[in-house]
């Protein structure tokens, strides 16, 4: 009986609490605007707009993933391309020529044969003192990638041996005998037309010039370079042919076909340079003092200027030009150019000097006299460069051969 009373009391208490809660909810009802807002808590877009937004999001995600994959691919292939280009540059005959600092670059050292040959004719009219050169055809040419997709042309230079036994610093022959090189000068320059897409181009271009009385044929060489055209003027030399005119009977038209040889450089002058390295400010001072080059003809408006460029890690960073100075046997500049070095080590940098001839009173294209390169390379180190590194903050002067 007691248990029943207790159970009834419990049920009564629960019913009383439920009734009081209902009363409280009814006394304080929720606002109507809140209930309507809770019921309409949905995106105010149609299903078509939602699907469009979703599609755009997926497209942007795919684009980001594609860009990431492309950057990863470039990062992986860049190292491979660099190695391939380096191997190709090391196999390039021009690179081998510029890499050597000996006089073998412009001496009569034996050269290896490259692919292709050149067919041409030479004739010298003794009555008119006129030399006629006709470039007929090149055969069996191969490009840098051993392909036939070439745009070949022929660059001709008529070289005159000014003197033999010229003393230039750091110039010894390949056998170490220490013989001095021959100093040359360019009498005439010609260039054939460009033949596109052919490994056996037909030229048929003819060139002629009047030979001066003091220019004897036994001191003249005809240098013909077969080049692959590049629109950025970085023409690749495929090979060359050198013809000593004094050793041939060219009193009548003489047709010849010669195999192409590995190109080499010729000594055409000297340049006096100073180098000073400032390690604190990471700067390099290059001073151009004098240029010694042969005058082909006396021209009052002939002038020289030099273009000096800094290259680091095989990339040309910047260049500076000197002022224009009247051309003479020894042209004096006495100018110092300042270069700020990048983060690359100095061992990966080199200096290139190009000397040009121009005319001040008439419009004429600039004419390259010669070039030279200074720096430290993997196989050898230029003596001037090593002296500069040992004598920090002091200018070191030295003569260098100007090559073409």
């Amino acid at each position: 009986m007691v248990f029943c009373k207790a159970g009834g009391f419990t049920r009564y208490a629960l019913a009383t609490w439920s009734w009081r809660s209902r009363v409280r909810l009814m006394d304080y009802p929720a606002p109507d605007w809140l209930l309507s807002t809770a019921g309409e808590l949905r995106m105010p877009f149609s299903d078509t707009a939602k699907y469009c937004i979703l599609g755009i999001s997926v497209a942007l995600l795919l684009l980001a993933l594609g860009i990431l994959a492309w950057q990863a691919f470039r990062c992986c292939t860049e190292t491979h391309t660099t190695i391939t280009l380096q191997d190709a540059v090391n196999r390039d005959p021009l690179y081998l020529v510029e890499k050597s600092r000996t006089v073998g670059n412009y001496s009569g050292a034996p050269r290896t044969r490259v692919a292709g040959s050149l067919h041409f004719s030479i004739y010298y009219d003794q009555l008119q003192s006129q030399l006629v050169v006709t470039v007929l055809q090149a055969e069996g040419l191969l490009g840098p990638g051993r392909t036939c997709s070439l745009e070949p042309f022929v660059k001709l230079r008529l070289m005159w041996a000014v003197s033999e036994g010229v003393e230039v610093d750091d110039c010894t022959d390949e056998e170490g005998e220490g013989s001095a090189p021959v100093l040359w000068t360019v009498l005439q320059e010609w260039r054939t037309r460009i033949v596109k897409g052919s490994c056996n181009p037909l030229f048929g271009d003819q060139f002629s010039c009047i030979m001066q009385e003091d220019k004897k044929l036994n001191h003249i060489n005809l240098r013909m370079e077969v080049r692959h055209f590049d629109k950025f003027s970085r023409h690749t030399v495929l090979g060359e042919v050198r013809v000593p005119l004094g050793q041939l009977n060219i009193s009548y038209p003489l047709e010849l076909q010669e195999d192409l040889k590995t190109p080499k450089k010729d000594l055409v002058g000297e340049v006096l340079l100073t180098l000073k390295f400032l390690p604190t400010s990471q700067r390099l001072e290059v001073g151009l003092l004098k240029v010694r080059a042969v005058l082909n003809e006396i021209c009052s408006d002939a002038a020289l200027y030099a273009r000096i460029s800094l290259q680091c890690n095989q990339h040309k960073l910047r260049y500076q030009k000197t002022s224009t100075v009247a051309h003479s046997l020894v042209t004096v500049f006495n100018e110092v150019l300042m270069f700020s070095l990048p983060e690359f080590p100095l061992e990966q940098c080199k200096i290139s000097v190009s000397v040009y001839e121009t005319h001040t009173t008439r419009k004429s294209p600039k004419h390259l006299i010669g070039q030279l390169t200074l720096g430290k390379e993997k196989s050898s180190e230029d003596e001037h460069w090593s002296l500069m590194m040992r004598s920090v903050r002091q200018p070191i002067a030295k003569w260098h051969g100007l090559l073409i």
Side-chain angles (χ1 to χ4, degrees), residues 9-241:
F9 176 77
T10 302
R11 288 194 296 271
Y12 174 78
L14 291 174
T16 303
W17 178 83
S18 176
W19 178 80
R20 290 181 178 178
S21 300
R22 292 177 182 177
V23 170
R24 291 177 181 176
L25 291 174
M26 294 178 63
D27 293 341
Y28 304 97
D32 296 338
W33 64 270
L34 183 61
L35 295 175
S36 61
T37 304
E40 296 178 358
L41 190 60
R42 294 177 299 176
M43 295 183 64
F45 301 108
S46 62
D47 294 341
T48 305
K50 294 178 183 178
Y51 287 126
C52 291
I53 294 174
L54 179 62
I56 294 174
S57 302
V58 173
L60 292 176
L61 177 61
L62 294 178
L63 179 62
L65 293 177
I67 294 175
L68 180 62
W70 171 248
Q71 293 295 334
F73 174 76
R74 288 186 59 186
C75 182
C76 295
T77 57
E78 184 176 0
T79 305
H80 174 72
T81 304
T82 304
I83 296 175
T84 304
L85 289 177
Q86 181 65 27
D87 295 340
V89 167
N90 291 335
R91 291 192 295 267
D92 191 354
L94 281 182
Y95 178 80
L96 297 176
V97 170
E98 293 178 356
K99 192 173 181 179
S100 176
R101 300 293 182 185
T102 63
V103 74
N105 294 338
Y106 34 85
S107 66
R111 294 167 290 157
T112 58
R113 176 184 174 181
V114 296
S117 61
L118 185 63
H119 187 199
F120 57 95
S121 68
I122 306 177
Y123 169 63
Y124 179 64
D125 189 351
Q126 298 180 356
L127 297 178
Q128 300 182 2
S129 299
Q130 185 179 20
L131 180 67
V132 181
V133 180
T134 305
V135 181
L136 301 176
Q137 183 183 10
E139 298 179 357
L141 301 181
L142 289 179
R146 314 299 293 179
T147 60
C148 286
S149 57
L150 296 173
E151 297 183 8
F153 69 95
V154 181
K155 177 79 173 184
L156 298 90
R157 287 191 178 99
L158 203 60
M159 311 288 295
W160 176 49
V162 179
S163 59
E164 299 182 1
V166 180
E167 295 183 2
V168 182
D169 293 340
D170 299 337
C171 285
T172 56
D173 58 11
E174 293 182 346
E175 298 178 357
E177 297 177 355
S179 60
V182 179
L183 181 62
W184 297 86
T185 184
V186 180
L187 299 178
Q188 293 286 340
E189 285 188 354
W190 303 295
R191 172 175 161 172
T192 66
R193 61 187 179 89
I194 301 172
V195 180
K196 296 185 178 181
S198 176
C199 289
N200 303 297
L202 292 172
F203 296 103
D205 297 337
Q206 188 175 89
F207 310 96
S208 62
C209 66
I210 302 298
M211 304 298 298
Q212 301 178 7
E213 295 181 358
D214 58 339
K215 304 297 189 297
K216 298 182 180 180
L217 292 181
N218 54 357
H219 292 94
I220 294 179
N221 282 4
L222 179 61
R223 173 179 166 185
M224 295 176 287
E225 294 178 348
V226 181
R227 300 185 177 188
H228 169 55
F229 175 79
D230 181 77
K231 62 181 180 180
F232 300 107
S233 298
R234 301 171 184 173
H235 309 310
T236 303
V237 181
L238 306 178
E240 72 169 18
V241 172

